[in-house]
C-alpha cells in the first residue's frame, strides 16, 4: 500500500476546505490604504462578510501610541466605523483590525494611511 494517494487526497481536502470557508477581508477602506489625507472625521473598513460586533474592532496606532477612537459596527454589520475622539495630528497611522465573522473564524490585518 502506498502513502501517496492518501497524501494527495488530504491535500485536495485542505484546498476544498479553504475554498468553502469564507474569511473576513477588507474590501475597501476610508482613508484608503497608503493614502495621504486631511484629518479624517471617521475611519471606515468595509468587509466581505458580516461581522460579529462583540469580537470585531480596530486599534489606531500612531507609532507605538494608541490614538483614541470609538469603534462601532455598522447597521448592516459589514463595516467597522471608527470616530477619533479628537482630531488626528499629522503623521502616519496604522489601522490594526481584528474581525470574527458568522463562521466564527477570527481574522486580522493592518494597513497604514497618513494625515497631512
Ligand atoms: Cu472563515
Amino acid at each position: 500500500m502506498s502513502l501517496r494517494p492518501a497524501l494527495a487526497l488530504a491535500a485536495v481536502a485542505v484546498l476544498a476546505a479553504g475554498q468553502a470557508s469564507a474569511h473576513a477581508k477588507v474590501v475597501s477602506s476610508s482613508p484608503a490604504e497608503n493614502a495621504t489625507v486631511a484629518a479624517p472625521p471617521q475611519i471606515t473598513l468595509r468587509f466581505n462578510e458580516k461581522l460579529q460586533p462583540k469580537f470585531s474592532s480596530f486599534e489606531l496606532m500612531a507609532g507605538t501610541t494608541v490614538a483614541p477612537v470609538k469603534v462601532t459596527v455598522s447597521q448592516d454589520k459589514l463595516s467597522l466605523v471608527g470616530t477619533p475622539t479628537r482630531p488626528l495630528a499629522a503623521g502616519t497611522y496604522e489601522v490594526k483590525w481584528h474581525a470574527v465573522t458568522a463562521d466564527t473564524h477570527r481574522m486580522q490585518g493592518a494597513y497604514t494611511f497618513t494625515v497631512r
Side-chain angles (χ1 to χ4, degrees):
M1 164 182 164
S2 165
L3 210 56
R4 249 172 227 281
L7 284 175
L9 278 177
V12 167
V14 166
L15 280 175
Q19 285 164 354
S21 70
H23 295 312
K25 64 178 181 194
V26 176
V27 292
S28 65
S29 68
S30 172
E33 185 166 9
N34 298 323
T36 298
V37 297
Q42 284 192 325
I43 298 149
T44 304
L45 284 70
R46 190 170 177 82
F47 289 81
N48 62 328
E49 290 186 62
K50 289 189 178 183
L51 307 172
Q52 293 195 31
K54 275 185 189 167
F55 307 108
S56 305
S57 190
F58 69 79
E59 283 188 325
L60 186 64
M61 304 298 296
T64 55
T65 306
V66 180
V69 177
K70 185 179 184 300
V71 181
T72 60
V73 172
S74 63
Q75 201 81 40
D76 64 8
K77 295 188 176 165
L78 286 169
S79 298
L80 290 175
V81 181
T83 307
T85 56
R86 54 175 179 265
L88 299 179
T92 298
Y93 292 84
E94 183 179 27
V95 180
K96 295 176 75 172
W97 61 266
H98 63 272
V100 174
T101 43
D103 64 8
T104 73
H105 290 144
R106 183 184 170 93
M107 302 297 289
Q108 56 192 346
Y111 76 92
T112 61
F113 67 86
T114 300
V115 173
R116 70 167 79 87

